[in-house]
Amino acid sequence: MNAMPELETLINTLENEHALDRADLVKLLTCEEAFPVYTAADRVRKKFAGDDVHLRGLIEFSSYCCRTCFYCGLRAANNKIKRFRMEPDEIIECAKHAVSCGMKTIVLQSGEDRFFTINELCSIVNRIKCMDVAVTLSIGELSKSEYTALKNAGTDRYLLRIETSNKQLYKSLHPGMSYKNRVRCLYDLKELDYETGTGCLIGLPGQTPEMLADDLLFFKELDADMIGMGPFIPCAGTPLELQDGGNVGAVLKMMALARLLMPDINIPATTALGIKDSGGYEKGLGCGANVIMPNMGRSEYKKLYAIYPGKGEGITNLENQIEAIKSTVFKLGRSIGRDYGNRKRLSDNHSV
Ligand code: SAM
Ligand code: SF4
């Protein structure tokens, strides 16, 4: 069998059965003919997730972090950046504005900032829930009882990327953190009935196609409801500042394979993808994505949330940002989601 027919067979299997083993995933990750993988993912996205693109209003509310992830500009050891922390009332004002712009989900994200108590966070979630929107939190690793309290306060979803499912690579990039605890958090979130989002960085130093295939299998095993993946972007003030970053083609391939493996989940075209490539959102939407997360924070804070370079730049005002996203969506013949954009499970609508 020559290369092309073999790839076609693998893509057909994935498109129809939504399963593939590690060795075959590696073949698709490393093949040069990416286009058939992208188009298959687009067909599956249309069939199972529909044409709607869900907009989630992102509010980055604190850049303080007690962790020291090697890739991230917010790491505690980076003393070159100015930090900020929003007041609860400021967060609520931003959420109100996002809702008035049509967002049906508010995503609150921060470094692991121990300043806010769980009770304070619950009260913020509670106030946002009164605006008739879904609430997603992305605030890192907590205990099960803390996740329980936040769920009881009304939180619908939680984003916690595994970053890499390779234990050695994970250990080398996350001093003082434990892979086991990261996985424990994700399974606690699932058990507590959060819509659970995870994902990985692509293009990390030392990362191989085999590791990326394992990431995909990890997502499937977890039965993740959302998968966010973006290129690693080297950031000044971090131990990886001189390393090469991830490439857009690899991210698109991972997104497409995630869609083929898990047809009914939500997949964002991530901010990092949009920063790495000016057509990143459009390309991502063509490779399986059905979510975009416009940054609805205050402009003076956006640049300070300096995970990687380029964040918060080029955004004129919120309304223009949303109009630009909508025009990309409409140009592709897609629509803007009007509901909360929960995962619509395969078993609810389709049989395979
Ligand atoms: N602190 C929380 C956490 O780590 O889960 C949420 C905030 S953290 C800034 C959100 C995501 O940013 C991380 O999951 C990581 O994948 C991504 N990130 C951090 N540094 C990055 C970099 N240099 N390039 C691309 N993405 C990066
Ligand atoms: Fe902190 Fe998250 Fe950045 Fe790690 S990735 S340093 S936990 S903000």
Side-chain angles (χ1 to χ4, degrees):
M1 203 182 244
N2 65 30
M4 212 33 212
E6 187 189 5
L7 292 181
E8 262 173 40
T9 307
L10 295 180
I11 295 167
N12 281 340
T13 308
L14 248 188
E15 185 165 355
N16 296 314
E17 297 172 17
H18 312 299
L20 213 57
D21 68 20
R22 182 184 198 242
D24 286 340
L25 284 171
V26 170
K27 282 184 194 155
L28 290 178
L29 280 166
T30 50
C31 73
E32 281 177 15
E33 297 89 350
F35 190 66
V37 184
Y38 297 167
T39 49
D42 198 43
R43 284 192 296 275
V44 166
R45 184 274 308 155
K46 190 174 178 68
K47 180 171 171 193
F48 293 97
D51 280 337
D52 275 354
V53 175
H54 302 287
L55 303 186
R56 325 272 206 213
L58 174 66
I59 302 171
E60 298 157 334
F61 66 96
S62 167
S63 66
Y64 285 87
C65 188
C66 63
R67 304 289 192 183
T68 53
C69 308
F70 266 29
Y71 41 80
C72 180
L74 300 188
R75 66 198 308 269
N78 186 4
N79 52 21
K80 293 196 185 116
I81 60 165
K82 189 174 158 211
R83 309 263 172 183
F84 74 94
R85 183 181 288 127
M86 287 167 74
E87 292 292 332
D89 285 348
E90 283 182 295
I91 300 172
I92 299 301
E93 278 317 302
C94 283
K96 273 190 192 149
H97 187 196
V99 174
S100 74
C101 292
M103 303 294 124
K104 299 299 287 175
T105 295
I106 300 298
V107 182
L108 299 180
Q109 193 186 79
S110 69
E112 291 203 17
D113 182 4
R114 303 284 182 244
F115 179 84
F116 292 95
T117 65
I118 291 297
N119 282 345
E120 280 165 336
L121 291 167
C122 286
S123 143
I124 293 167
V125 169
N126 227 270
R127 290 169 72 187
I128 297 177
K129 283 302 286 179
C130 295
M131 301 175 202
D132 185 24
V133 286
V135 173
T136 306
L137 289 178
S138 174
I139 58 176
E141 295 181 18
L142 297 171
S143 66
K144 188 169 186 183
S145 62
E146 290 169 322
Y147 287 141
T148 306
L150 290 164
K151 185 80 176 71
N152 290 340
T155 312
D156 302 275
R157 311 190 186 119
Y158 205 99
L159 298 177
L160 184 77
R161 289 182 179 177
I162 190 70
E163 315 292 1
T164 171
S165 64
N166 182 278
K167 290 185 188 128
Q168 275 74 41
L169 185 60
Y170 186 92
K171 193 166 179 230
S172 72
L173 296 172
H174 301 98
M177 293 171 77
S178 127
Y179 179 80
K180 201 170 154 205
N181 193 51
R182 195 85 174 167
V183 174
R184 188 274 304 159
C185 290
L186 286 167
Y187 278 88
D188 279 353
L189 291 164
K190 282 295 292 185
E191 200 184 310
L192 291 166
D193 213 22
Y194 279 94
E195 277 212 341
T196 304
T198 187
C200 61
L201 284 165
I202 296 168
L204 289 165
Q207 198 176 38
T208 64
E210 286 75 14
M211 292 179 192
L212 291 174
D214 287 338
D215 290 347
L216 291 167
L217 295 171
F218 174 87
F219 304 150
K220 181 131 175 122
E221 171 77 26
L222 173 70
D223 187 24
D225 302 295
M226 304 173 270
I227 310 251
M229 293 179 287
F232 156 60
I233 302 176
C235 182
T238 69
L240 303 186
E241 66 179 318
L242 299 178
Q243 300 287 329
D244 290 333
N247 82 65
V248 169
V251 176
L252 296 175
K253 191 73 92 54
M254 283 290 281
M255 289 169 68
L257 291 175
R259 173 60 70 197
L260 287 162
L261 275 172
M262 308 180 73
D264 60 3
I265 61 166
N266 286 318
I267 300 182
T270 56
T271 310
L273 182 62
I275 282 174
K276 189 85 189 178
D277 183 324
S278 56
Y281 283 157
E282 192 169 337
K283 289 179 186 169
L285 290 175
C287 291
N290 68 328
V291 170
I292 292 182
M293 293 162 59
N295 192 322
M296 302 304 291
R298 284 181 30 182
S299 53
E300 67 264 40
Y301 297 135
K302 281 182 193 164
K303 276 192 193 165
L304 298 181
Y305 197 79
I307 314 173
Y308 43 69
K311 261 206 80 267
E313 284 167 17
I315 298 173
T316 40
N317 69 45
L318 296 181
E319 281 74 11
N320 289 354
Q321 181 198 182
I322 293 168
E323 281 318 305
I325 290 171
K326 283 186 178 169
S327 94
T328 302
V329 169
F330 297 144
K331 207 170 78 189
L332 294 169
R334 306 271 290 270
S335 41
I336 299 292
R338 289 166 185 272
D339 59 11
Y340 299 129
N342 292 333
R343 176 184 186 182
K344 293 176 186 72
R345 278 195 177 267
L346 201 64
S347 48
D348 298 338
N349 304 314
H350 298 268
S351 51
V352 260

